Amino acid sequence: MGDFELSGTGSMFAIIALAVITIGIIFVIRSMFKSKSETDLAAKYQDHTWKSPLEASNKYPDVNAFKFGRPVFLFGMAAALAATLFAFSWTSYDDVIFIPDDALEFDEEIEMEPPRTAEPPPPPPPPPPPVIEEVPEEEIEEEDEPVFEDMDVEEDDVVEPEPVVEEEAPPPPPPPPPPPPVEDEIFKVVEQMPRFPGCEDTGGSQKEMDECAKGKMLQYIYKNLKYPAIARENGVEGMAVLQFVVDKDGSVKDIKVVRDPGAGCGDAAEKVVKGMNNLPQKWTPGKQRGRSVKVLYTLPVKFKLQ
């Protein structure tokens, strides 16, 4: 005999049927007692003599509810046993998620966009060369002859020093402008790559947690990925490649589709990646020298008709 299995719908219908049978039995017993109580029981048992005091404890045996005690008890036991059997036979099946083979492998010939890092500003342009203007000879005026003065000093002459005029100090130069804000460098390969959430509490080595995170990520992607209808109708298959930045706080930013097989596949893959920010937990950020850094992550998503 094979295992007895019930789906969720089957178990629900079985429990409803059991409840309906129980309610039906209750109504049958009530209607039975009601029909007997409408007869003149007092006149029926007016001259009746009881065989024993126990029999006399029931004034009207026709409406004695205790005579149904054993059948009701047995039915209750059977109902409880059936409910237990239905509960243990309730079988739930996990959704079958189709994950293509080698889902995380892609062609290395894909042109990858280099990570965006802070570049130094370009040097200022050189000053323009001086413009030499030719002065016509007509405008050159002849200089006057120099006048020579007698500078001899006699012994009786009083020489007074010329007053020294103190020149005012030039104003200090203005402070240099503040340097432009330096953007955090975006790494492509770090000592500890970012990990999809769900495996941080499992323990184990870094390699084991990386493999666990990859499996969780594939399950999330191919469970939520919706094959575009136009691609399915036209038999479009292929691989979409996305690049995004896993920020220091584990959020996903700057999502770009660098390879798109067409027919809406790239947009469908991008929508799934955007949904990672709505998960209860964020990514575990990548780390370089013990500190969290931004990492450029490349993710292939394969579209294959089953």
Side-chain angles (χ1 to χ4, degrees):
M1 181 178 178
D3 294 337
F4 180 66
E5 296 181 357
L6 279 178
S7 62
T9 306
S11 298
M12 181 182 66
F13 281 118
I15 293 175
I16 292 176
L18 186 62
V20 170
I21 293 174
T22 304
I23 295 173
I25 293 174
I26 293 174
F27 273 100
V28 169
I29 295 176
R30 285 188 61 184
S31 62
M32 184 187 304
F33 281 126
K34 185 177 181 181
S35 63
K36 289 185 178 182
S37 62
E38 291 176 353
T39 59
D40 192 2
L41 297 176
K44 180 179 179 180
Y45 291 99
Q46 182 177 6
D47 299 330
H48 186 75
T49 56
W50 309 106
K51 297 179 180 178
S52 66
L54 291 177
E55 187 180 1
S57 63
N58 251 342
K59 187 173 183 180
Y60 303 122
D62 296 346
V63 290
N64 181 18
F66 291 100
K67 65 181 179 180
F68 295 101
R70 183 177 179 82
V72 170
F73 174 76
L74 294 176
F75 175 77
M77 292 293 293
L81 182 62
T84 305
L85 179 63
F86 293 153
F88 279 103
S89 301
W90 185 356
T91 305
S92 59
Y93 298 94
D94 296 333
D95 296 335
V96 179
I97 302 174
F98 173 70
I99 300 177
D101 297 334
D102 303 328
L104 293 179
E105 295 184 3
F106 59 94
D107 190 0
E108 295 293 340
E109 295 180 359
I110 298 176
E111 294 183 1
M112 297 298 178
E113 180 184 354
R116 299 175 297 279
T117 56
E119 298 181 358
V131 179
I132 301 176
E133 297 181 359
E134 183 180 358
V135 180
E137 296 181 357
E138 299 175 354
E139 297 182 4
I140 300 177
E141 298 179 357
E142 295 183 358
E143 296 181 357
D144 297 335
E145 295 182 0
V147 179
F148 297 96
E149 297 181 2
D150 186 9
M151 303 296 292
D152 294 339
V153 179
E154 301 292 338
E155 292 181 0
D156 298 335
D157 294 339
V158 178
V159 179
E160 296 180 358
E162 296 182 0
V164 179
V165 179
E166 296 182 358
E167 297 181 357
E168 296 181 359
V182 180
E183 297 182 0
D184 292 334
E185 183 179 0
I186 300 177
F187 295 85
K188 188 174 180 181
V189 179
V190 291
E191 297 172 353
Q192 180 180 323
M193 293 296 289
R195 284 195 295 267
F196 189 80
C199 296
E200 297 304 313
D201 298 334
T202 57
S205 62
Q206 294 290 336
K207 185 177 180 181
E208 292 175 348
M209 286 193 289
D210 289 342
E211 293 298 325
C212 173
K214 290 179 181 178
K216 295 279 188 182
M217 182 177 63
L218 290 176
Q219 291 180 5
Y220 164 79
I221 291 174
Y222 291 99
K223 180 180 180 180
N224 295 278
L225 183 65
K226 295 183 179 180
Y227 214 113
I230 187 172
R232 187 182 297 275
E233 293 172 359
N234 293 276
V236 176
E237 296 183 346
M239 179 176 60
V241 180
L242 297 92
Q243 284 185 337
F244 53 88
V245 176
V246 180
D247 211 340
K248 294 180 179 180
D249 60 351
S251 58
V252 175
K253 298 180 178 179
D254 301 334
I255 305 169
K256 289 186 178 181
V257 180
V258 296
R259 174 189 278 186
D260 189 354
C265 294
D267 295 336
E270 183 179 1
K271 185 177 180 180
V272 173
V273 174
K274 285 182 179 179
M276 293 179 180
N277 288 325
N278 300 326
L279 294 173
Q281 297 178 352
K282 294 184 178 181
W283 280 62
T284 301
K287 291 187 178 181
Q288 181 73 6
R289 296 180 180 176
R291 64 184 183 92
S292 299
V293 294
K294 297 181 178 181
V295 181
L296 182 68
Y297 198 93
T298 303
L299 175 65
V301 179
K302 293 185 178 181
F303 289 83
K304 188 174 181 180
L305 296 171
Q306 300 183 26

